[in-house]
Amino acid sequence: MRGLHADTGYLLYRLGLRSGQLFNAFLQESGLRLRHYALLRFLATSKGALQRELSSRLGYDPSAIVGLVDDLEKLGFAERRPSPDDRRSRIVVLTADGRAFLRDTDEAGLRVTNDLLQPLDPAERETLHTLLQRIADTELNS
Amino acid sequence: MRGLHADTGYLLYRLGLRSGQLFNAFLQESGLRLRHYALLRFLATSKGALQRELSSRLGYDPSAIVGLVDDLEKLGFAERRPSPDDRRSRIVVLTADGRAFLRDTDEAGLRVTNDLLQPLDPAERETLHTLLQRIADTELNS
DNA sequence: CAACAACTATTGACGTCGACAATTATTGCT
DNA sequence: AGCAATAATTGTCGACGTCAATAGTTGTTG
């Protein structure tokens, strides 16, 4: 009978949980959660996105996006702007404060990942990242 | 500004979620969830375990173990037996039905992981597994 | 051009999950 | 004998994922 850790899929599941825990611990003092942080990071690369784009790219349900953007607006890290083309849509953009927050926490975020990958040397980390990226590219079609 | 997928920790988080989703989808028809399956798989390698062992090895809270074992008992896949040494403890063992269930679903479980790792060739899968295993060994101290 | 299908954001409901405190029964310590 | 520590259990709370339903808007097409 195969053991649990013989299964790469299960390992991914377990380490994914652990990674999320570490991220949330680091974000705790800022009052955000991993989901907010992911959304901010995505906005930082996109110059504004429709909520439905955020939903499909981040993999969260549209109804979840609503609350996340609400929270970020309250903190002044993001804004909803009306779309000129389509009055149904709102365009979510990063504010200057949001960008500053990302800049200030960037280093701490890197430390979380470094912590997790501690047992691997730099070349191995690169390899791991490349392999995961390949899976993510086809699996999350991003 | 770094993109989302520039961060290995975040990639792990996302792919871990995806892996869990795939596992749960495969388990749906059996009425179990990933947590039950993990517990069963662990029992299959252990010849009986105290619930507190299950808790520490699987990383679930002791209070979560209670419900999981309840469910598995209802399905006849596991049993609680009194511990001869310590009347506080119960020893959880796999039943014949539980073992049969694992045997019947083993192939489907492998297919889930194969599905996820599709973009990687066999050598790459082996590399990925080894790297993840190294992280898991130090991070989940198992 | 009027009716209808499709889409965007939003709200609400429901079950699951993870983390924690509290309780009961039992054991170990001293 | 008394008290701290432990195993299992129950209950609670917030976060989370999924799904259904709605309002407002756009696109289509008969």
Side-chain angles (χ1 to χ4, degrees):
Chain A
M1 190 68 65
R2 289 180 303 125
L4 265 177
H5 287 178
D7 196 311
T8 310
Y10 184 75
L11 275 179
L12 266 179
Y13 162 72
R14 283 298 303 277
L15 291 176
L17 278 186
R18 184 88 189 103
S19 182
Q21 286 171 350
L22 290 177
F23 265 111
N24 276 325
F26 132 68
L27 286 170
Q28 189 155 19
E29 60 191 36
S30 68
L32 295 180
R33 329 234 350 120
L34 178 51
R35 304 159 69 92
H36 301 96
Y37 189 66
L39 207 161
L40 281 181
R41 289 270 299 265
F42 180 81
L43 285 182
T45 65
S46 79
K47 267 183 190 302
L50 302 181
Q51 296 187 200
R52 66 161 306 281
E53 286 180 303
L54 294 173
S55 169
S56 65
R57 296 296 294 263
L58 295 172
Y60 302 141
D61 193 85
S63 61
I65 302 290
V66 176
L68 293 177
V69 177
D70 283 349
D71 295 340
L72 294 176
E73 263 192 333
K74 281 194 196 92
L75 289 167
F77 290 167
E79 267 182 21
R80 273 184 252 243
R81 294 181 185 162
S83 163
D85 314 331
D86 187 336
R87 280 195 297 175
R88 290 172 299 183
S89 307
R90 334 269 295 262
I91 299 178
V92 185
V93 297
L94 201 61
T95 63
D97 278 3
R99 201 169 293 274
F101 172 80
L102 282 180
R103 193 173 30 220
D104 294 345
T105 54
D106 187 67
E107 180 196 2
L110 282 175
R111 213 175 316 136
V112 169
T113 296
N114 281 338
D115 219 45
L116 190 66
L117 302 185
Q118 197 187 348
L120 305 185
D121 67 40
E124 290 170 328
R125 295 182 193 196
E126 182 62 26
T127 303
L128 175 63
H129 187 83
T130 304
L131 294 176
L132 292 179
Q133 182 89 60
R134 291 252 307 283
I135 301 175
D137 281 349
T138 68
E139 190 66 32
L140 312 171
N141 55 298
S142 58
Chain B
M1 190 67 65
R2 290 180 302 127
L4 264 176
H5 289 177
D7 195 310
T8 310
Y10 185 74
L11 273 177
L12 265 180
Y13 162 72
R14 285 298 302 276
L15 291 174
L17 279 185
R18 185 86 188 106
S19 181
Q21 286 171 350
L22 289 176
F23 266 110
N24 277 325
F26 131 68
L27 287 169
Q28 189 157 18
E29 61 192 33
S30 68
L32 296 179
R33 329 237 347 122
L34 176 50
R35 303 159 69 91
H36 302 96
Y37 187 65
L39 208 160
L40 280 181
R41 289 270 299 266
F42 180 81
L43 285 181
T45 64
S46 79
K47 268 184 191 302
L50 303 181
Q51 295 187 201
R52 65 162 306 280
E53 285 181 303
L54 295 173
S55 169
S56 65
R57 295 296 294 262
L58 295 171
Y60 301 142
D61 192 84
S63 60
I65 302 290
V66 176
L68 293 177
V69 177
D70 284 349
D71 295 340
L72 293 176
E73 263 190 333
K74 281 195 195 89
L75 289 167
F77 290 167
E79 268 182 20
R80 273 184 252 241
R81 294 183 186 160
S83 163
D85 313 330
D86 188 336
R87 282 195 296 175
R88 290 171 301 181
S89 306
R90 336 270 295 260
I91 298 179
V92 185
V93 296
L94 201 61
T95 64
D97 278 4
R99 201 168 293 275
F101 172 81
L102 281 180
R103 192 173 31 221
D104 294 346
T105 54
D106 186 67
E107 180 195 2
L110 282 175
R111 213 175 315 135
V112 169
T113 296
N114 281 337
D115 219 44
L116 191 65
L117 302 185
Q118 197 187 350
L120 304 185
D121 66 41
E124 289 169 329
R125 295 181 193 196
E126 182 63 25
T127 303
L128 175 62
H129 187 83
T130 304
L131 293 176
L132 293 178
Q133 182 88 61
R134 290 253 305 284
I135 301 176
D137 282 348
T138 67
E139 190 67 32
L140 311 172
N141 56 298
S142 59

